Amino acid sequence: SYTQFSYKNLVIAPLTEKYHFRATFTLTNTGTVAGDEVVQLYIRDKLASVARPVMELKGLKRLHLARGESRQVEFTITPEMLQMLDNNLKPVIEPGDFNIMIGASSKDIRLKEVLSIE
């Protein structure tokens, strides 16, 4: 893109269904021209009983913003995004903390919050 973007105010809120959450933040085009940004959602299980990737891409959205425009961006976090295969190869969601990360790429994380699962 030929412009710059700022990411602000990440909020994670539970939805009515178990293990469903909404992650919202504000994306602003802070540059001098209109442009596209591909925002990416990554999740990391901070302490799993089996080896897990450092971060997993779980969602992305391409947005076009005019110069100076701000937009509320929303991702829905589903149980499938939080689960893993245990030692018996069964899907489980383990209790604990998950890093929810939003950025322009895996090397450019702009926002991070912790989601705790009980």
Side-chain angles (χ1 to χ4, degrees):
S1 181
Y2 295 101
T3 192
Q4 295 84 37
F5 294 89
S6 73
Y7 293 60
K8 291 185 180 171
N9 304 323
L10 175 58
V11 176
I12 300 171
L15 298 174
T16 55
E17 293 180 70
K18 188 173 185 177
Y19 300 125
H20 286 77
F21 302 88
R22 177 176 297 124
T24 58
F25 66 97
T26 303
L27 179 71
T28 302
N29 181 342
T30 57
T32 58
V33 297
D36 287 7
E37 181 77 332
V38 178
V39 296
Q40 300 174 16
L41 167 69
Y42 293 90
I43 298 179
R44 176 176 188 229
D45 188 340
K46 291 177 80 171
L47 183 62
S49 62
V50 297
R52 300 284 311 266
V54 173
M55 55 182 10
E56 297 177 79
L57 177 63
K58 297 295 186 173
L60 56 89
K61 293 184 179 193
R62 183 183 190 113
L63 298 134
H64 181 83
L65 275 69
R67 179 184 73 190
E69 181 182 2
S70 291
R71 190 172 306 164
Q72 190 82 3
V73 182
E74 176 181 306
F75 285 103
T76 300
I77 299 170
T78 63
E80 294 77 21
M81 294 176 170
L82 300 172
Q83 74 184 15
M84 61 176 218
L85 296 177
D86 67 10
N87 287 326
N88 298 315
L89 300 180
K90 292 186 180 181
V92 297
I93 299 174
E94 292 185 331
D97 292 338
F98 293 79
N99 283 337
I100 307 300
M101 299 166 280
I102 305 284
S105 74
S106 63
K107 304 280 188 211
D108 188 9
I109 299 298
R110 309 282 185 95
L111 300 169
K112 183 167 40 170
E113 285 291 331
V114 175
L115 171 62
S116 294
I117 301 292
E118 296 182 11

